[in-house]
Amino acid sequence: MTVAKGDDEATPGIELGVVASEFATVKVTLEQGGSGARLRVEDLRADAVRYLDALELESLVWAPEDWWRRLLDPSLHRWRDAGRGPEIESLPPG
Amino acid sequence: MTVAAQQIVDGTPAPTAGNDTGTVTPIGVDEAAQFLYREARLADAHELDAWEALWTDDALYYVPIDDTADPMTSMSIIFDNRGRIATRIKQLHTGRRHAQRPPSRLCRTVGNVEVLGVEGTDTVVTSVVQIVESRERGTRFWAGRVTHKLRRTDDGLRMSTKKVVLVDSDRPLLSLSFLV
Amino acid sequence: MTTTLGSSRPTPEGLRGLVQPDRVHGSLYTDPAIFAAELERIWYSTWVYVGHVSEIPRPKDYVRKTIGPQQIVMTRDTDGGVHLLQNRCAHRGNLVCEADRGHSGSFRCPYHGWTFSNTGDLLGAPFNQGYGGREGLKELGGLATVPRVGIYRGFVFGSLAAEGPTLEEHLGAAAERLDRLARLSPEGEVELTAGFVQHEVEANWKMLVENETDGYHPQFVHSSIFSISGSSIGDLYSDKSTAVTRALGGGHSENDLAPEFRRLGVPMGWAGTPESKIPDYVAQMRDVYGTETGDEIMINGSPHIMIFPNLFVAEIQLFSIQPLAVNRTVQHVTAIQFKGAPDLNRRLVTQCVGSVGPAGMLLADDAEMYERNQRGVEQLRPEWLDLRRGLGRETTDDDGYTIGTATDETSMRSMWSHYLTLMDPQPATAPQESTVEGAQA
């Protein structure tokens, strides 16, 4: 899985809070810097960060329910059998 | 439980003595412990009136289920003001409080006593209690983290708050009809 | 008669001998084989109360619940639908949800990471090439769902049997009592938002069910608190009381205290709360329903009903009864909250906390009686528990239901009659007290 890490730790941000359940713990920060705003999403149970820009966030809003269900499949990205199957399984058609 | 006391229980640094406590002699850990031991002994021995006399008029006797919940809108195991403490004691005095007939045989240990700080006129004290309760149905072990707020009065030390957070407060509990 | 059942599964014939019109046998409370049969024929068959929709207000909310010893997860899907899932991973049987409640549209088992939607579908498993890739997952199962889910007035019931009477048929006249309860809210809705106290007793679940509408015990068991609090509740359960015990069919029963509340004629008199303490609530009720109807609702008060086998509404508090073993039962108790009535709700919480739970000034004494009773029935003789109180003075009301006086055991007899129809569904002869069952239709 591609994760962006530590590229600019110093970017000032508003810590929006931690979204947690018994299944996941994620810290969400709104960062204002460079040439615009982005959302910093950090998996606190693993060392992984994802930055999301406005268009990516908007796309999430419009993603259909099937796509979200597919995203929750542990085998889709994070826990894949390396070299034992297709590199990336295609998402089902929306 | 006030926010300050809550923070204390959660481990954040204790507040220092407030401005309005200048004339009050601080309550040290030894004096606090002596009070806690006495309270424990009176409860174990079912010395109901003597135990009740330890309370101030603005008393709060609180055994939460969820220590973070608002007791005005959430269920608790015990949430007694002074009037309800009196009712509880009166009920025990009737001899018809079946859940305490015969009274539980009790033996409790109070330990890990710490003075955490001062809140207005009260000194916040934390401790751990472990209680063995024997009844005909069997013997039960209770344990919890206790917060007392102690106040110096003309009649000696009194408690304005006693909060007992049982280790199993949000799990199924058998009847807890003695003074915990 | 020979009543020792040993460890073998009780036969229907044996059970019929143990439940008689005026007495029941002690082994019904102590025999593990009978308990096992009850799980199968009652708890895993009939409609059982599970939870309330207000406990999962938003899509993706979930809360852990139970049907007897079965662990259930009650969920709200993105379309607002309510689902009941068994908390058992389809892979190795691990408990999937550990938290009492939470917010998550999918659940990931901590053991091997199998992930399920909140409707039970398997969304995926890690390293799925071991199953032949994503296509192979189709061969694998999801979380088991409770086959039938029914909701009445926000009360969620589940039946582990795929077929059987509908929830409406099961509730019968009990449904109208839930209507009455909901009408006490200016918005017509009950909310269970105060959380639950869990009070365990070392007694058989039927001890609790029988006690809930037993009007004979309050004057004795609760005399200590009645005498010092000046409560008039004790008088409601006396020989002079105009209240009645009513068998509603389906094993349900009620202490109908409304006649006494009407005699009192004071809005909210049933709750022991003067109007002046809850002016906002009273004003809103009159505003919404009109003064006459609003006052009538507030005078008649809340029901006191035992909905078989596990939902007990006692005016201001709600109990859900969970059997765990033949001599082990948990009562999950909360203060009933009425939507749009914050001032009343706060009083109900503090009132309820004083009464119920392990330290409750009422319920700890009930629990003591359950446990003493359990130890008592474990003794050999006399083998029977008597059920004949008021048998000779029962009457039928205008709606065709059997009623007794406030202190009669009408409710217990009807519970046992229904118990037999569930435990022995195809009797050789017609069940006793068939009029009680007939009233349901």
Side-chain angles (χ1 to χ4, degrees), chain C residues 282-331:
Chain C
V282 173
Q284 216 182 338
M285 286 293 283
R286 286 175 180 152
D287 190 41
V288 169
Y289 293 103
T291 303
E292 200 177 327
T293 308
D295 278 1
E296 192 186 315
I297 293 169
M298 289 189 283
I299 287 171
N300 279 336
S302 188
H304 186 108
I305 181 171
M306 177 65 227
I307 299 178
F308 188 86
N310 73 326
L311 174 59
F312 174 42
V313 173
E315 289 90 18
I316 65 164
Q317 51 233 359
L318 177 144
F319 297 70
S320 175
I321 297 168
Q322 179 194 14
L324 287 174
V326 69
N327 59 355
R328 206 171 143 228
T329 307
V330 177
Q331 323 168 67

Side-chain angles (χ1 to χ4, degrees), chain A residues 22 69 72-73 75 79 81, chain C residues 62 98 125 127-129 134:
Chain A
E22 62 180 303
R69 285 164 63 93
L72 268 299
D73 179 352
S75 281
W79 289 288
D81 297 280
Chain C
Y62 68 95
E98 187 268 336
F127 309 117
N128 64 16
Q129 290 308 308
R134 188 165 173 78

Side-chain angles (χ1 to χ4, degrees), chain B residues 14-25:
Chain B
T16 51
N19 297 330
D20 53 349
T21 58
T23 57
V24 180
T25 314

Side-chain angles (χ1 to χ4, degrees), chain C residues 25-227:
Chain C
H25 195 265
S27 62
L28 290 161
Y29 303 89
T30 59
D31 187 337
I34 290 179
F35 180 74
E38 288 171 350
L39 288 183
E40 196 182 298
R41 298 175 201 178
I42 296 174
W43 293 90
Y44 303 160
S45 296
T46 193
W47 288 99
V48 176
Y49 170 70
V50 179
H52 194 271
V53 293
S54 57
E55 296 177 75
I56 43 169
R58 298 177 305 172
K60 300 183 186 180
D61 283 344
Y62 68 95
V63 60
R64 281 179 67 181
K65 291 286 171 182
T66 56
I67 295 179
Q70 295 297 309
Q71 298 280 344
I72 304 294
V73 185
M74 182 167 81
T75 70
R76 175 88 80 168
D77 69 26
T78 38
D79 299 323
V82 173
H83 302 262
L84 302 178
L85 313 172
Q86 294 234 253
N87 194 2
R88 173 188 163 136
C89 182
H91 177 218
R92 298 280 300 163
N94 213 276
L95 281 178
V96 176
C97 295
E98 187 268 336
D100 291 336
R101 60 195 305 126
H103 180 81
S104 189
S106 54
F107 309 134
R108 180 161 290 163
C109 179
Y111 197 2
H112 301 94
W114 282 35
T115 303
F116 306 90
S117 75
N118 65 354
T119 57
D121 300 337
L122 177 63
L123 297 178
F127 309 117
N128 64 16
Q129 290 308 308
Y131 300 104
R134 188 165 173 78
E135 283 302 303
L137 294 180
K138 290 177 180 163
E139 306 296 315
L140 307 173
L143 297 176
T145 54
V146 174
R148 293 190 299 154
V149 180
I151 302 176
Y152 189 82
R153 288 265 174 216
F155 293 86
V156 181
F157 296 79
S159 167
L160 284 163
E163 290 175 8
T166 64
L167 177 61
E168 287 66 30
E169 287 167 336
H170 167 76
L171 289 176
E176 189 274 331
R177 275 63 180 176
L178 295 179
D179 295 344
R180 177 142 77 98
L181 181 69
R183 276 163 67 86
L184 280 160
S185 153
E187 297 181 31
E189 283 182 47
V190 165
E191 292 185 317
L192 301 186
T193 51
F196 286 81
V197 57
Q198 299 181 59
H199 188 181
E200 183 170 338
V201 291
E202 292 176 345
N204 184 269
W205 65 276
K206 299 187 294 301
M207 299 271 187
L208 284 70
V209 173
E210 290 180 283
N211 184 68
E212 311 301 21
T213 49
D214 169 33
Y216 198 21
H217 83 277
Q219 296 245 27
F220 290 86
V221 176
H222 305 306
S223 71
S224 62
I225 195 66
F226 293 160
S227 67

